[in-house]
Structure formats: C-alpha cells, structure tokens
C-alpha cells in the first residue's frame, strides 16, 4: 500500500518526467533502492501524452489546481528541533494562458461518449465563431483562460500505458494498411482521402460513405481514445543521445517508432518539400541542375567542414545566414539550408553553430530512413514510461497520486535526510531528485524562467498533399517580426497512433515572446482555414481545415542554474521540465550528469544481463534472473512488419 511504504531508500525521485525517469532507471539498474513518486495521476509530468478526453480532464485539473488554497500544513508536527523543512508546492504553475477553440460542428448529444470509456464524458468546449477566433487578440486572465474547457472524464493516459509493446520501427505504409482495417463506422474519411478513393480500387465498401464527410465534435469525442496528444512536441534524431541510450540500455524494446517522412519549408506563402538525401536532391523538380550541383557540393562540405577551416574561419563572427550568402548559393538554396536543414533563423546562429547543425542533420540521414528523425508511436509520453518500466524491473517502487509534503533537512550537516508524504510517513534517503515544478515560490523566488508557446491542432488534411495520406512532416515557419521566433510545426498522421483516421494532429512550438495564442495564431492562419459549412463546399480551397485548437504556455526551466534556487542542500538534485529544442539531448545529458553525481564511476544504463548467461546460485541470483527474463517477453508480440531499432543499417535497406 502507498500509505505503508518502506521507511528507507537510497534515492527518492519526485516527478516522472523524462530526465527523472532516465535517472531513476539508471540508479535502479546500478543496484540503488529507488522510490519514484508523482502527485499526478499519470506518468510523464509535462512530457505526458493524453487521449482527447484525458486532455480535457488535464485542462480541468489545471483549472481546479489554480483554485487550491494553501492550508495549515499538518506535516510541521513531524519536524524535530534539530531539523528544518523545505515545503513543496501543491500548485502546478508551469502551464499558463490556456485557450481552447472548437471549429467543428458541435452536435454534441447527451448520449455521446468516448468509445471504450469507463464512464460518460460530458464535455463542454468553448465554441468560437471562426472570424472572431481569428481576430480576437484579448489576453485572458489566468482564471478566464483555465475556464475555457471543462469535462467530467477522469484523466486518462495512452492506451499503451502498460508499456507492454515492444519498441521497434514500423513502415508508415505497413501501419497505414492496418489502420484501413478499422470499422467503417468509426473511420472518418477526409476530403483528400475521398478524392484518392475515386481513383484507386480498394476492398472497402465506400458506397455507404457520403461524398464529403463532415467531421463533428461528437466524432472527435467518440474516437477520443485514438488520440494521443503530447504536451511537449519533440522528435528523436536517429543518431542522437536518446536513441543511443535506448539501444544501449535495451529500453528500445518497450516502444515503437516511425520515420518522419518529409521535411517541409514555408516560402512565399506556399508549403514545399525540401530535398535532403542525395536521391531527393536529384529527383527534385524544384531545383535546376545547377542548383542540384551547388547543393550537393555544399552539403558535402558541411559533413567535413572541420577539415577545411580556411573555408569558414573568416566568417566565424557573422550569422549563418550571412555566411550562406557568401557561398554562391541561390536564394532558394539559402532558404532551404537555413530553415529546413540547419533549422535556425537569420539571427539565431553564427556560422559555426549553423555548420554544426547542418552536419548533425546530415549525419542522422539514412540510419533509419530518408530523414534524420523518428517519432514514438502513441506519442512522446511513451518515453518516460519506458524508462519507468526499466526502473521497476530492477526493483524500483512507483506511486502515482502520491504527494510529498516537504523535504526534511538536518540543521547541523545541512543535508536532506528524509521526506514526509501525504500520509505523514517519514521516508529516509541519501539522495533526492526533485522536478522543478514541485518547488515552492520561496525556493524559486530568484529563478527567472523562459516560456514555451505551444499549440495543438486537429485538422482534416495535410498541409501538403501527397500520393499517400500517411505522411509525418516537420515544417519550420520563419519569424516575420523582430523579437519573435521561428515556429516549428510537426504534423502527425493517424498511423502514428496519435489521431483518428481522416484527421491530422498538428503541434506548433516556439520560444515565447507573448502568450501562446498571440505567438502562434498568425502561423495557424497562414497554414489553415477554420472549418465551416461554406468552406466544405469549396473544393478548390488548398488549405487544410481547422477542427479544434488548443493554445497554452509552458514553463522552460532547462537553462536555470542550480545556484538560482534558495538554500538547497547538496544532496537535493533539480530536474528541469521540457526545453524548446527539437531533440531530447538536454534531458539525456541532465540525467547522466545527475546519475554520475549520485553513483560516481558507475556505468550509465548498461544493458540488462542476458537471462541465458545468468548462473542461478542462491535466491538473490534466482530473483535477478526472473526479473531480467521478464524483459524479452515483449519481443514475442513484435509485429512481423516491424524493424528492430538496434539494427539501423539493416532496417534502412
């Protein structure tokens, strides 16, 4: 029982975000006794993924959380004379300026509920006149923002939250075929799919489908379990630190991944596909033969730029954008290289940073596909859960919905010695990892946080039509005004298991300069048009139609120095929340640094022992063998069409 935990551990971890989960797994793997707790009812913290109703419940929890009034803490009576307490916060203040808009027809009836839901879901979402939604620029107060959505459904995690799926890479086409097997009554076709079905013979009976399907809010609610919506939008570089760690630790078997199929660019009001690989460059119809030679020559230079310092030394102090202008590249190529390959802006990076980013992009090409990126099926929220499972396999104890009231510090040694939980139990430990959002205002009074602007959209078709409707794309929209930032757009199709058939899930992310809606709505208006009856009849409309939109700001604590926190003992370690970057390297570096401080000279997340190599001699070894042998069982459920993450060179054939 959570109210009767063991009284002593080696490491107590508070928060189940990605850095905390990796560190907990590494400590447990090295033999430390780990207690991993989270006051939330789901894994991942701000790295979590939710079904649609789960997301609405998360928004409601946020609203109720803002109404919490600090009471007289009962834990004070457990503090001795030679001790002092560091109180932890009961409020999560990492999310602000939440605004939700529904553009789809709201024919919501009392009997509409999510398929497979445990109880009825009576949800109400603010309906917005499309014109009003586009032009209204008011800044709501915190109370107004948080009250835009309400629902009664308990917070729900991804369907894969038991972490039983083996972690491999699927072809987009293979999963796309699986998706087609779903019941016609629950699969809603988009306009682009209808046009395709007229020209391609399929085994499905399409005679019952109307020529133009109207996607309603009721359908989104009913198919809510098909959505897995990430709070933070990231991708995995195929040669990044997280992929290397997943392979090294064998955690890779706990999830599945897909290749990002397209790199896109937004130029002169149009979305274009960017050629990346050698084959893409020479097959591209956007580039002339001269441009193709120019691009291949420059990409080859980027891969080995350190060997030719004379080519860039004189330009180290200028921006990468200015450097590209000196390289006899056409404006077309300069734009692609700056925004879609180096993925930076005109002012953000100098020459060296730009060349490093371009080299990293090119270095990751071809390992698992024609782009450098992978995306985890069921969303980014699967990754913390994968490492939590590894921790549990090696003896870690997990308690969700279990809050820690305070940290107990010895006055003489100035070391943290214990925590007091919600039941008043004192739990002793040597080391304490705490996620930033758990600290109170007193502890963080001198901390200066940045903010991330986030938007999540549900649309009816892709931003760029293609032969296949199962495309996973990344697009960078450059900043227009001074003082604003480029916006990263990641578009996910239904084969990623993050949205229902016939829709796309679109994530927008940038560093905040204003509220999320003020930062991101101009980009939304460039790429999408609100979903209305009149728009449905206009088949010539090139823009995808917007069905539903969420805007919110998230705290970025990734660059906060530990010294900024007030009076933290040396054995309390701080884990930051998600950063604004595209990859996950910051989380992995942070976890490894913390692990080395706790367990110096220990290997960071080594692979578990092979059960066949374990010599059973005594109860302890027998116990270890049984725990280790549990891991490979997931492989028995691996789909035949899956590719192993550990054999990239073979899987890219």
């Amino acid at each position: 029982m959570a109210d009767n935990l063991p009284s002593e551990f080696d490491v107590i971890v508070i928060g189940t975000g990605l850095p905390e989960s990796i560190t907990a797994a590494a400590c447990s793997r090295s033999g430390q006794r780990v207690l991993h707790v989270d006051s939330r009812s789901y894994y991942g913290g701000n790295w979590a993924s939710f079904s649609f109703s789960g997301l609405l419940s998360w928004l409601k929890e946020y609203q109720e959380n803002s109404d919490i009034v600090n009471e007289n803490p009962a834990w004070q009576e457990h503090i001795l004379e030679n001790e002092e307490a560091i109180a932890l916060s009961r409020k999560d203040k990492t999310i602000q300026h939440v605004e939700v808009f529904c553009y789809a027809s709201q024919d919501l009836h009392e009997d509409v509920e999510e398929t497979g839901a445990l109880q009825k879901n009576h949800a109400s979402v603010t309906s917005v006149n499309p014109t009003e939604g586009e032009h209204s620029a008011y800044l709501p107060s915190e109370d107004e923002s948080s009250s835009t959505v309400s629902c009664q459904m308990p917070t729900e995690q991804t369907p894969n939250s038991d972490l039983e799926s083996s972690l491999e890479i699927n072809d987009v086409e293979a999963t796309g075929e699986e998706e087609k097997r779903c019941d016609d009554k629950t699969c809603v076709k988009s306009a682009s799919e209808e046009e395709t079905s007229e020209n391609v013979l399929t085994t499905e009976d399409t005679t019952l489908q109307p020529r133009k399907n109207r996607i309603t809010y009721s359908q989104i609610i009913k198919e809510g379990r098909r959505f897995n919506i990430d709070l933070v939008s990231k991708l995995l570089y195929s040669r990044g630190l997280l992929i290397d760690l997943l392979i090294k630790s064998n955690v890779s078997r706990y999830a599945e991944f897909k290749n990002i199929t397209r790199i896109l660019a937004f130029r002169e009001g149009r979305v274009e596909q960017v050629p990346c690989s050698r084959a893409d460059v020479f097959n591209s119809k956007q580039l002339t033969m001269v441009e193709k030679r120019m691009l291949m020559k420059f990409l080859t230079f980027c891969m080995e730029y350190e060997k030719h310092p004379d080519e860039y030394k004189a330009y180290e102090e200028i921006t990468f954008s200015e450097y590209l202008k000196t390289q006899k590249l056409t404006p077309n190529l300069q734009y692609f290289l700056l925004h879609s390959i180096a993925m930076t802006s005109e002012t953000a990076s100098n020459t060296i940073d730009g060349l490093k980013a371009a080299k990293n992009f090119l270095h990751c090409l071809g390992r698992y596909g024609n782009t450098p990126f992978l995306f985890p099926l069921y969303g980014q929220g699967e990754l913390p859960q994968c490492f939590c499972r590894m921790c549990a396999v090696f003896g870690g104890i997990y308690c969700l919905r279990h809050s820690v009231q305070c940290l107990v510090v010895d006055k003489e040694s100035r070391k943290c010695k214990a925590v007091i939980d919600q039941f008043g139990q004192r739990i002793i430990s040597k080391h304490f990892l705490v996620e930033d959002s758990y600290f109170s205002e007193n502890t963080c009074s001198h901390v200066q946080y940045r903010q991330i602007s986030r938007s999540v959209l549900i649309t009816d078709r892709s931003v760029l039509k293609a032969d296949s409707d199962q495309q996973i794309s990344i697009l960078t929209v450059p900043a227009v005004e001074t003082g604003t930032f480029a916006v990263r757009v990641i578009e996910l199709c239904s084969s990623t298991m993050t949205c229902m058939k016939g829709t796309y899930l679109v994530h927008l992310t940038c560093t905040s300069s204003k509220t999320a809606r003020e930062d991101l709505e101009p980009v939304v208006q460039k790429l999408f048009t609100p979903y209305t009856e009149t728009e449905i009849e206009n088949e010539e409309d090139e823009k995808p139609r917007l069905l539903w939109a969420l805007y919110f700001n998230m705290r970025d604590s990734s660059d906060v120095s530990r010294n900024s926190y007030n009076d933290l003992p040396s054995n309390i370690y701080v884990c930051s929340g998600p950063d604004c970057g595209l990859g996950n390297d910051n989380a992995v570096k942070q976890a490894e640094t913390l692990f080395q401080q706790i367990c110096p000279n220990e290997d960071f997340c080594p692979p578990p022992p092979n059960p066949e190599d374990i010599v059973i001699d005594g109860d302890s070894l027998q116990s270890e063998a049984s725990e280790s042998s549990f891991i490979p069982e997931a492989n028995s459920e691996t789909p035949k069409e899956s590719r192993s993450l550990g054999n990239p060179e073979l899987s890219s054939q």
Side-chain angles (χ1 to χ4, degrees):
M1 294 291 292
D3 58 349
N4 190 23
L5 291 167
S7 60
E8 187 172 351
F9 291 87
D10 296 315
V11 182
I12 294 178
V13 183
I14 304 175
T16 51
L18 185 58
E20 303 97 90
S21 300
I22 294 175
T23 310
C27 290
S28 182
R29 176 66 183 91
S30 68
Q32 302 290 309
R33 296 168 298 168
V34 177
L35 172 64
H36 201 170
V37 300
D38 199 324
S39 62
R40 303 172 178 93
S41 59
Y42 52 88
Y43 287 96
N46 283 349
W47 300 80
S49 302
F50 297 103
S51 68
F52 189 76
S53 66
L55 182 68
L56 298 184
S57 296
W58 173 79
L59 293 170
K60 182 174 180 171
E61 281 186 6
Y62 160 78
Q63 174 191 357
E64 293 172 347
N65 186 46
S66 65
D67 297 333
I68 291 177
V69 178
N70 282 326
E71 304 166 357
N72 253 340
W75 49 261
Q76 287 185 350
E77 62 190 41
H78 299 283
I79 305 300
L80 306 179
E81 289 185 4
N82 63 336
E83 298 171 345
E84 60 185 41
I86 299 176
L88 298 184
S89 176
R90 294 183 61 200
K91 296 183 180 181
D92 183 356
K93 298 185 177 180
T94 59
I95 305 296
Q96 295 180 341
H97 309 308
V98 178
E99 298 182 74
V100 179
F101 303 99
C102 182
Y103 299 92
S105 174
Q106 293 194 59
D107 56 345
L108 191 60
H109 302 293
E110 287 296 316
D111 59 344
V112 173
E113 61 180 86
E114 185 181 85
T115 304
L118 298 178
Q119 69 178 68
K120 278 203 170 187
N121 175 33
H122 301 293
S124 64
V125 180
T126 302
S127 178
V128 177
N129 181 305
T131 306
E132 179 186 342
E134 289 177 7
H135 300 293
S136 175
Y138 81 99
L139 175 59
S141 67
E142 193 166 314
D143 291 338
E144 289 175 320
S145 298
S146 59
S147 63
T148 53
V149 174
S150 63
C151 68
Q152 305 298 323
M153 187 68 185
T155 302
E156 184 173 20
Q157 278 239 248
T158 66
N160 202 31
S161 59
D162 60 350
L163 304 179
E164 290 297 331
S165 62
S166 57
L167 180 53
E168 312 218 337
I169 301 181
N170 290 349
D171 287 327
V172 170
E173 293 78 6
T175 307
E177 290 172 4
E178 281 189 12
E179 289 276 309
K180 291 178 183 177
R181 298 172 193 161
C182 62
D183 188 1
D184 288 342
K185 294 180 181 178
T186 58
C187 289
V188 182
K189 287 194 173 183
S190 67
S192 60
E193 292 171 327
E194 287 290 341
E195 291 168 1
T196 305
S197 66
E198 292 176 4
N199 300 321
V200 180
L201 292 175
T202 67
T203 59
E204 293 182 9
D205 183 10
T206 58
T207 58
L208 299 178
Q209 296 284 350
R211 186 167 180 272
K212 287 286 181 181
N213 267 326
R214 209 165 48 90
I215 300 176
T216 65
Y217 186 65
S218 293
Q219 290 172 317
I220 295 175
I221 289 289
K222 186 176 180 181
E223 298 296 314
R225 292 177 67 85
R226 294 185 182 272
F227 288 90
N228 286 292
I229 301 171
D230 294 328
L231 295 185
V232 59
S233 176
K234 289 179 175 290
L235 300 175
L236 286 79
Y237 281 93
S238 64
R239 297 185 190 274
L241 295 180
L242 185 54
I243 289 292
D244 292 343
L245 181 62
L246 288 166
I247 295 172
K248 172 189 173 184
S249 63
N250 274 359
V251 173
S252 57
R253 67 186 64 202
Y254 297 151
E256 298 176 278
F257 294 93
K258 281 201 173 294
N259 302 307
I260 305 305
T261 57
R262 301 186 299 185
I263 310 293
L264 305 179
F266 184 77
R267 186 160 182 255
E268 297 177 352
R270 292 185 300 111
V271 177
E272 303 173 353
Q273 185 166 349
V274 177
C276 301
S277 64
R278 182 183 296 271
D280 288 342
V281 170
F282 286 106
N283 290 332
S284 173
K285 298 179 181 179
Q286 304 164 253
L287 306 177
T288 65
M289 282 304 298
V290 174
E291 284 181 316
K292 291 177 181 180
R293 292 194 187 101
M294 286 180 179
L295 181 58
M296 285 306 304
K297 181 179 179 181
F298 187 79
L299 294 180
T300 302
F301 162 70
C302 288
M303 281 297 294
E304 49 188 26
Y305 74 92
E306 294 100 329
K307 298 179 181 178
H308 307 284
D310 296 341
E311 297 286 334
Y312 65 88
K313 281 291 184 183
Y315 306 101
E316 284 185 347
E317 301 302 321
I318 64 173
T319 64
F320 187 54
S321 175
E322 292 295 325
Y323 172 72
L324 291 176
K325 293 176 182 177
T326 68
Q327 297 303 298
K328 299 179 181 179
L329 298 168
T330 64
N332 203 24
L333 297 180
Q334 291 177 35
Y335 190 92
F336 287 165
L337 287 163
L338 183 68
H339 297 292
S340 300
I341 294 180
M343 293 189 175
T344 183
S345 64
E346 281 81 355
T347 58
S349 301
N350 60 30
T351 299
I352 298 298
D353 291 339
L355 289 172
K356 283 181 180 177
K359 179 180 178 179
N360 183 47
F361 182 100
L362 297 168
H363 181 62
C364 294
L365 282 175
R367 189 180 193 189
Y368 295 111
N370 288 332
T371 71
F373 305 112
L374 298 175
F375 179 79
L377 290 188
Y378 302 101
Q380 176 79 22
E382 290 298 291
L383 299 178
Q385 295 184 68
C386 290
F387 286 98
C388 288
R389 183 181 180 187
M390 175 183 174
C391 178
V393 164
F394 287 97
I397 295 178
Y398 279 83
C399 296
L400 295 182
R401 296 181 292 274
H402 194 99
S403 61
V404 173
Q405 303 294 316
C406 69
L407 305 167
V408 182
V409 179
D410 183 78
K411 289 183 178 179
E412 293 182 7
S413 65
R414 295 305 304 166
K415 294 277 189 179
C416 186
K417 58 195 293 188
V419 301
I420 296 176
D421 68 7
Q422 65 193 43
F423 301 105
Q425 181 180 0
R426 176 183 287 246
I427 306 173
I428 299 170
S429 182
K430 301 172 185 175
H431 305 279
F432 303 82
L433 271 76
V434 185
E435 201 267 320
D436 168 86
S437 66
Y438 282 88
F439 287 116
S440 66
E441 290 183 359
N442 291 336
T443 305
C444 303
S445 59
H446 295 98
V447 177
Q448 296 292 323
Y449 294 109
R450 293 184 300 185
Q451 295 288 325
I452 302 170
S453 289
R454 288 278 292 115
S455 180
V456 180
L457 313 175
I458 300 175
T459 66
D460 69 341
R461 63 174 184 261
S462 175
V463 292
L464 183 63
K465 291 183 180 180
D467 294 338
S468 168
D469 64 346
Q470 296 301 306
Q471 299 285 347
I472 312 170
S473 311
I474 178 171
L475 164 67
T476 302
V477 180
V480 177
E481 301 176 4
T482 305
T484 60
F485 298 89
V487 175
R488 182 174 70 245
V489 181
I490 296 177
E491 182 184 69
L492 305 173
C493 61
S494 61
S495 64
T496 62
M497 308 302 178
T498 59
C499 58
M500 61 183 272
K501 187 73 174 175
T503 65
Y504 287 82
L505 190 66
V506 183
H507 292 275
L508 288 79
T509 308
C510 74
T511 302
S512 299
S513 55
K514 303 174 185 176
T515 68
R517 184 180 172 194
E518 290 173 316
D519 284 338
L520 300 174
E521 195 172 50
V523 175
V524 173
Q525 292 173 356
K526 289 178 182 177
L527 297 175
F528 308 98
T529 186
Y531 193 92
T532 63
E533 296 293 336
T534 54
E535 300 280 355
I536 293 175
E537 302 302 325
N538 184 10
E539 297 184 13
E540 300 302 320
D541 184 21
E542 294 183 356
K543 291 183 180 179
R545 290 188 286 269
L546 183 60
L547 306 171
W548 184 87
L550 163 67
Y551 299 92
F552 63 92
N553 290 91
M554 177 183 289
R555 177 192 292 178
D556 180 358
S557 55
S558 60
D559 64 339
V560 175
S561 168
R562 190 185 184 283
N563 298 329
S564 302
Y565 299 95
N566 297 330
D567 302 326
L568 285 186
S570 59
N571 63 335
I572 295 179
Y573 310 92
V574 183
C575 289
S576 70
D579 63 328
C580 196
L582 176 61
N584 296 275
D585 284 4
N586 185 68
V588 178
K589 289 177 182 176
Q590 184 180 171
E592 185 168 9
T593 300
L594 295 176
F595 172 75
Q596 294 299 342
Q597 292 175 15
I598 296 170
C599 304
N601 305 318
E602 291 280 345
D603 191 9
F604 180 58
C605 285
N610 189 334
E612 297 176 359
D613 297 336
I614 296 176
V615 178
I616 300 178
D617 182 16
D619 293 339
S620 60
L621 286 178
Q622 188 170 358
S623 173
E624 182 179 352
S626 64
E627 288 176 348
S628 301
S629 63
F630 176 75
I631 302 175
E633 289 179 4
N635 237 4
S636 62
E637 298 180 4
T638 303
K640 292 182 179 179
E641 66 271 14
S642 298
R643 300 173 178 174
S644 171
L645 186 60
N647 299 295
E649 276 68 32
L650 292 177
S651 64
S652 62
Q653 295 297 323

